[in-house]
Amino acid sequence: SRRRSSVIVIGAGVSGISAGKVLADNGVEDLVILEASDRIGGRIRHERFGGVSAELGAGWIAGVGGKQANPVWELASQSGLRTCFSDYSNARYNIYDRSGKIFPSGVAADSYKKAVDSAIQNLKNLEDNDDSIDDTSEPHSAPKTPIELAIDFILHDFEMAEVEPISTYVDFGEREFLVADERGYVHLLHKMAEEFLFTSEGKILDSRLQLNKVVREIQHSRNGVVVKTEDGCIYEANYVILSASIGVLQSDLISFKPPLPRWKTEAIEKCDVMVYTKIFLKFPYKFWPCGPEKEFFIYAHDRRGYYTFWQHMENAYPGSNILVVTLTNGESKRVEAQSDEETLEEAMEVLKDMFGPSVPNATDILVPRWWNNRFQRGSYSNYPIISNNQVVNSIKAPVGRIFFTGEHTSEKFNGYVHGGYLAGIDTGKTLVEKMNKEKERDTENQNQN
Ligand code: FAD
């Protein structure tokens, strides 16, 4: 089948939906959204697990309480999303060694400070350049002991805010709220979609949203675009907005005809893909401490990132008896490749180290696989710390009639939900301007003729 519209939006994650809404708000009603999976949300995704809603992707609204309002926090307030305050900076005071002892807070604080200082020093060395050997700075020793490795992990894989200013916290504030709503984080997106797509009884019934449409080819020329999907459908339009993740852009899922120019593909290759995996474990009862400042705890092992970062879900869902352990990058990929039973066994061994041999076995496990999902290929973008804006600008820049959006195109907020949201608005507006200019030019031409 063939279908014609003025704009095709590829992807119905937060950036695709916010871009679509900007278009519709500006009179471009004639659009089609093609989504590869069977639902909207993309990396905002929840599943029923152990009787509650588990957020497999984004879980926090990060950056709240500052001078400027975080737009996602505002959307959450408007739509009555249930959230709870969550502070992982205390995690460093709940570090367990393999015999189940918690490191004294003084030791943890000292190690933490040392790690921050050395990260700042490394950053300075990089900035001051690079190749010249700087013999005034102390040689930085790599983390070696389990506690050093654990702290290195929480610092670099979670909390870089103490090392370099992160726009999210500088602009919007340092507080973070965990989404704890049975309708899921995705409820925000449904609310947004409702404003421009036809919905009935909470379901989007608008034929402009096409689910299970995997885009495999984008042909583009001066005159327009032709998009082909895996099921053999063809969509024609004047413009495309492409919101697929950086991991998907690095993969061969979508081919471009003609191919994307080198400045584009080179920039796409320069951006790192972070893999971040939250493993959910359900227990028959609680055996972990739950008081104030105990929401997060750390396991110090001699392998970096080995089941390091733990969280209990009692604040979000009291009585749920669920633990979440977060793995990243290499450990994420390793666990994705093995069976969930193997992962459960490993996690249980770690818990027995921390809390003793009598802890009850988990009755259920949920292991998201963001790396092996061909519509994601990772969790979020991670620009090299010392990268000029040139890289993100090139990733964002349109190629002819193809416009790019997504969290990875947000210069200030990449990696976050609000980054995706604001990127969608930005790309939507840029395209509307371009279309308006084109219209003006056409009417001028007509008037001259
Ligand atoms: P996506 O949500 O990926 O949307 C792109 C859409 O395009 C997807 O629906 C995909 O299916 C679709 N697609 C891909 N290829 C094709 C194709 N060929 N054809 C058609 N459709 C296609 N952010 C926070 O703010 N707080 C957090 O706590 C947080 N935690 C996170 C934890 C995890 C595990 C992950 C994975 C992410 C987390 N993030 C968090 C990041 C946040 O989820 C993302 O930045 C944001 O959701 C990205 O939105 P997007 O629209 O750019 O991309």
Side-chain angles (χ1 to χ4, degrees):
S1 71
R2 249 173 204 272
R3 182 160 162 179
R4 170 128 210 133
S5 58
S6 67
V7 181
I8 297 167
V9 177
I10 299 173
V14 63
S15 65
I17 298 284
S18 72
K21 183 171 180 312
V22 167
L23 294 175
D25 287 349
N26 285 279
V28 186
E29 305 267 355
D30 173 23
L31 56 96
V32 171
I33 304 175
L34 303 177
E35 166 55 49
S37 74
D38 58 3
R39 49 180 184 85
I40 70 166
R43 283 171 270 170
I44 298 177
R45 168 174 192 179
H46 68 129
E47 255 175 44
R48 292 296 296 174
F49 176 79
V52 303
S53 166
E55 297 290 349
L56 281 63
W60 283 275
I61 299 174
V64 178
K67 286 194 192 116
Q68 238 172 293
N70 180 334
V72 171
W73 180 245
E74 294 199 309
L75 290 173
S77 310
Q78 284 156 20
S79 67
L81 195 76
R82 187 175 159 255
T83 58
C84 60
F85 178 63
S86 173
D87 177 12
Y88 52 63
S89 65
N90 287 308
R92 73 186 82 145
Y93 299 114
N94 303 319
I95 306 182
Y96 291 80
D97 69 14
R98 293 188 70 176
S99 68
K101 282 202 286 294
I102 297 186
F103 284 93
S105 58
V107 173
D110 285 352
S111 308
Y112 195 83
K113 191 172 176 316
K114 231 173 84 190
V116 171
D117 289 347
S118 118
I120 291 172
Q121 190 57 51
N122 276 347
L123 200 62
K124 273 209 193 110
N125 292 350
L126 274 173
E127 274 165 350
D128 296 349
N129 189 23
D130 323 347
D131 324 306
S132 63
I133 297 156
D134 182 357
D135 47 14
T136 55
S137 68
E138 282 187 23
H140 160 61
S141 58
K144 281 188 208 84
T145 64
I147 188 174
E148 284 170 357
L149 288 164
I151 280 174
D152 189 69
F153 180 79
I154 51 179
L155 183 65
H156 289 278
D157 293 40
F158 290 87
E159 298 187 355
M160 275 305 272
E162 304 209 16
V163 178
E164 48 156 1
I166 293 179
S167 300
T168 287
Y169 303 107
V170 175
D171 288 15
F172 298 142
E174 289 181 357
R175 287 156 71 88
E176 301 200 283
F177 286 81
L178 192 68
V179 174
D181 194 303
E182 297 287 351
R183 297 165 297 182
Y185 209 141
V186 76
H187 179 60
L188 295 189
L189 261 66
H190 276 282
K191 282 285 166 202
M192 218 192 300
E194 247 173 49
E195 289 176 37
F196 73 103
L197 296 172
F198 176 68
T199 31
S200 169
E201 292 172 2
K203 282 208 156 57
I204 304 169
L205 298 175
D206 197 308
S207 67
R208 289 174 296 171
L209 173 68
Q210 301 261 301
L211 299 174
N212 302 304
K213 293 291 178 190
V214 184
V215 170
R216 296 305 306 268
E217 188 181 295
I218 302 174
Q219 284 175 22
H220 55 117
S221 71
R222 288 187 52 180
N223 303 318
V225 293
V226 180
V227 168
K228 294 187 180 166
T229 55
E230 208 156 64
D231 60 358
C233 294
I234 295 171
Y235 297 83
E236 293 175 332
N238 298 330
Y239 296 99
V240 164
I241 291 181
L242 177 53
S243 80
S245 71
I246 189 75
V248 169
L249 296 178
Q250 288 175 355
S251 80
D252 57 8
L253 185 65
I254 305 172
S255 60
F256 297 86
K257 290 192 177 163
L260 293 175
R262 267 192 61 183
W263 58 263
K264 189 70 167 186
T265 53
E266 279 176 4
I268 288 170
E269 288 309 319
K270 278 194 187 133
C271 181
D272 286 337
V273 171
M274 224 5 229
V275 193
Y276 181 105
T277 310
K278 295 192 272 185
I279 297 173
F280 295 80
L281 294 158
K282 172 83 176 176
F283 293 92
Y285 55 87
K286 267 196 306 278
F287 54 85
W288 51 86
C290 267
E293 307 185 345
K294 296 281 181 207
E295 183 183 357
F296 298 92
F297 53 94
I298 303 292
Y299 175 63
H301 187 272
D302 34 73
R303 179 146 126 210
R304 187 184 185 276
Y306 189 74
Y307 297 89
T308 309
F309 197 83
W310 293 81
Q311 178 184 13
H312 70 65
M313 280 185 64
E314 293 304 308
N315 296 1
Y317 296 110
S320 60
N321 301 334
I322 292 173
L323 288 178
V324 186
V325 58
T326 299
L327 309 183
T328 59
N329 300 331
E331 283 298 303
S332 291
K333 291 177 188 174
R334 188 182 67 77
V335 156
E336 282 198 24
Q338 69 187 17
S339 73
D340 291 357
E341 290 71 37
E342 286 171 284
T343 304
L344 181 73
E345 260 175 48
E346 289 176 354
M348 283 313 306
E349 247 178 69
V350 166
L351 287 170
K352 283 179 180 157
D353 280 354
M354 285 191 281
F355 299 106
S358 62
V359 301
N361 267 325
T363 53
D364 203 359
I365 184 168
L366 176 60
V367 184
R369 285 176 167 76
W370 294 105
W371 174 246
N372 281 295
N373 181 337
R374 68 182 179 127
F375 308 145
Q376 292 301 342
R377 294 269 173 232
S379 299
Y380 42 83
S381 65
N382 186 22
Y383 286 95
I385 294 187
I386 306 295
S387 85
N388 42 14
N389 293 342
Q390 194 56 48
V391 179
V392 66
N393 286 338
S394 299
I395 286 180
K396 182 176 165 187
V399 172
R401 292 177 171 271
I402 308 171
F403 285 66
F404 291 79
T405 195
E407 55 85 5
H408 52 283
T409 69
S410 170
E411 205 177 288
K412 290 178 86 178
F413 308 116
N414 76 287
Y416 291 100
V417 171
H418 50 271
Y421 174 71
L422 292 170
I425 292 178
D426 195 58
T427 306
K429 282 187 179 159
T430 308
L431 178 52
V432 165
E433 267 168 39
K434 166 112 180 173
M435 290 170 86
N436 287 343
K437 271 197 200 125
E438 211 163 58
K439 235 183 263 161
E440 272 169 36
R441 215 177 42 221
D442 286 352
T443 37
E444 266 170 38
N445 285 350
Q446 269 165 11
N447 292 344
Q448 277 165 9
N449 291 341

